[in-house]
Amino acid sequence: MGGLPDASRVGGTWFPDVDPEEWALPDGLASHVITPALVIDLKKVRQNVAAVKRALGGDLNRWRPHLKTTKMSVVWLELVRAGVKNFKVATTKEAAVLAVTLETYLDRDDSKKRTDTSFAGKSSFAETKNAKDLLRRRLMKEKAAFDVLVAYPLCGPARDRLSCIAKAFPWIRWSCLVEAEEAFSTDEAAGLGKTEQRRETDAAASADDAKNPRRARFEDDNVGYFVDVNPGMHRTGAEARRRGAEAQSAEDAAFDARIWRACVNDPTNETAYLGFRGVHFYEGHVDSCVARANATLVETEIARSRRADACAALYEDVLAPLLTYLRARGAPPIELVTSGTPGFTHALE
């Protein structure tokens, strides 16, 4: 930004404790940077990552940062170096760039640890060395245990592209969101856009896949799924009945069974929960600011309490009944993914 820094330009409305001078450009930089330009202060990035780690009690496995807000490998690598293993992305393009970033990072780190050894003589020595190197690199990547969730319900070509990415980077654990029963249909499992003749050929080549489409779509291509729940934001997500609401059917007194039946251990459903990893519950509509400029401490705490109550109501009225339902029906242990920045600390509590 050109000109002198001021509170309105550095988030002073939302963050009244921010000192604009802390965000001023280094001496001489403003005079030759062509604006508008994006300047990343990696020192502050590391401070922010450390602050989140403290809030998590040091357990970075509880953090799955969404990379759609940064979109830069240089920032993503700061998270990796800090020990973050789990990520969210919004698109398959972000997923592909992240995968290449992680692979490049691991390969460079591996090359620094190795001693350069040359082999002379028969080519078999070099071939053996290359084979061992490839095996060691694969084991190293699998040990890294990176986990990437494409946080959007994918279908058709987008879902097929994620399958291709997962096959290209099998050492990363991949998942996407589902929000409708159609995600488990035979057509979707076989791949939208294929001709009827191609579908028949695929079915003949793999009778098991034709009988078991959920295995074909969510297990064989190394892509799991989280069920996306609508928490009241009404953007995406399957519906889950609120506590106290009337039952939707006599068959299932708690929830619309069409989507949730795919996630539980139903003895009558041989394909239940293949690839099911958990629930995605993004309460992004609870986004009120609690630290406005010129607000008193009392006003700030009242706003914080109201936001906490709004989050708690969603957890108690929608999320807790759903998790109880899944547990009672025999669903496997699951991961729960919640919260943007405003709801983050409330979800931790």
Side-chain angles (χ1 to χ4, degrees):
M1 296 179 295
L4 297 176
D6 60 70
S8 65
R9 289 179 169 177
V10 293
T13 301
W14 274 52
F15 306 102
D17 295 332
V18 170
D19 181 2
E21 293 301 324
E22 292 184 6
W23 296 88
L25 294 177
D27 293 340
L29 184 59
S31 64
H32 65 265
V33 168
I34 299 176
T35 59
L38 178 63
V39 179
I40 304 298
D41 188 332
L42 289 180
K43 180 179 179 181
K44 287 184 170 58
V45 170
R46 293 167 189 140
Q47 291 173 346
N48 290 337
V49 173
V52 174
K53 186 174 181 178
R54 288 194 298 271
L56 295 167
D59 185 4
L60 288 174
N61 285 325
R62 299 182 68 190
W63 191 20
R64 188 184 280 277
H66 205 322
L67 304 186
K68 69 176 183 179
T69 57
T70 50
K71 295 186 183 296
M72 289 173 288
S73 294
V74 66
V75 176
W76 301 349
L77 289 175
E78 291 299 326
L79 295 168
V80 173
R81 293 186 184 104
V84 178
K85 300 286 189 180
N86 308 310
F87 300 97
K88 285 174 67 174
V89 295
T91 66
T92 55
K93 185 174 183 178
E94 291 173 3
V97 175
L98 174 61
V100 172
T101 299
L102 294 176
E103 183 169 57
T104 302
Y105 168 77
L106 290 175
D107 286 345
R108 287 179 178 175
D109 186 62
D110 179 53
S111 64
K112 292 178 181 178
K113 296 178 180 178
R114 283 185 293 149
T115 301
D116 186 17
T117 305
S118 59
F119 284 79
K122 296 182 179 180
S123 60
S124 59
F125 286 108
E127 293 172 357
T128 301
K129 176 181 179 296
N130 290 336
K132 289 182 178 179
D133 280 349
L134 289 173
L135 177 60
R136 177 178 44 73
R137 288 172 59 190
R138 192 189 74 181
L139 294 175
M140 176 194 66
K141 291 174 181 177
E142 291 176 351
K143 185 178 180 181
F146 288 111
D147 190 303
V148 180
L149 165 62
V150 181
Y152 198 80
L154 301 182
C155 61
R159 183 63 183 80
D160 292 337
R161 186 177 189 224
L162 181 60
S163 295
C164 292
I165 295 172
K167 291 172 182 176
F169 300 91
W171 47 273
I172 298 176
R173 191 179 189 188
W174 297 94
S175 302
C176 66
L177 300 185
V178 299
E179 63 175 355
E181 185 184 19
E182 287 75 14
F184 303 103
S185 69
T186 302
D187 284 347
E188 182 66 19
L192 294 178
K194 292 183 178 180
T195 64
E196 193 64 33
Q197 182 179 4
R198 176 72 179 276
R199 290 195 185 102
E200 292 176 358
T201 301
D202 290 346
S206 179
D208 181 63
D209 284 353
K211 295 177 181 178
N212 197 344
R214 289 178 194 143
R215 182 187 302 277
R217 180 47 98 183
F218 291 110
E219 186 175 80
D220 288 351
D221 64 357
N222 192 35
V223 179
Y225 69 95
F226 287 75
V227 175
D228 188 27
V229 178
N230 176 17
M233 192 174 181
H234 306 304
R235 185 179 68 179
T236 61
E239 296 298 329
R241 189 181 70 89
R242 287 180 174 268
R243 186 191 303 273
E246 294 183 2
Q248 296 179 358
S249 68
E251 179 185 10
D252 185 349
F255 302 98
D256 183 345
R258 290 178 301 173
I259 183 69
W260 301 110
R261 194 173 289 167
C263 309
V264 299
N265 189 10
D266 184 351
T268 66
N269 183 5
E270 295 180 355
T271 58
Y273 74 72
L274 288 175
F276 174 52
R277 292 198 51 198
V279 171
H280 182 263
F281 191 83
Y282 173 56
E283 66 283 39
H285 58 303
V286 183
D287 59 358
S288 59
C289 173
V290 301
R292 294 188 179 276
N294 302 320
T296 65
L297 180 60
V298 173
E299 291 172 336
T300 298
E301 289 305 312
I302 290 175
R304 190 187 309 278
S305 178
R306 288 175 178 171
R307 191 173 68 184
D309 290 344
C311 288
L314 290 175
Y315 303 150
E316 294 172 5
D317 294 343
V318 181
L319 192 54
L322 171 59
L323 298 180
T324 300
Y325 164 83
L326 292 175
R327 186 180 299 112
R329 292 297 183 92
I334 67 170
E335 177 183 343
L336 174 63
V337 182
T338 70
S339 306
T341 301
F344 176 64
T345 54
H346 306 304
L348 288 180
E349 294 171 357

